[in-house]
Amino acid sequence: MPRPDYIANLHGAKYDLRFCSGADKAKFLSVYRTALEEAQKKSGLSSSLLEAAVARDFFEWMKQERLPKPPQKEGK
């Protein structure tokens, strides 16, 4: 089953939020919340249930989009 666009948009917003610089966090948090709200409306699920439902798909989406792996944090 293909991934709905609203889920792909949510993944994109999450990717940007997770891997942006600290100075851009507020901007990308706003974008993520907007994408989450849109996904909630289209899916009919609560935000927490929706985030849990798509969490495993996030890294699969990254692979399919051929996005670079996230940078490793120091100390790991």
Side-chain angles (χ1 to χ4, degrees), residues 60-76:
E60 184 62 31
W61 171 83
M62 283 180 56
K63 285 183 203 175
Q64 291 171 352
E65 294 295 314
R66 295 187 171 118
L67 295 171
K69 291 185 179 185
Q72 295 294 319
K73 295 188 182 201
E74 290 183 30
K76 280 193 170 185

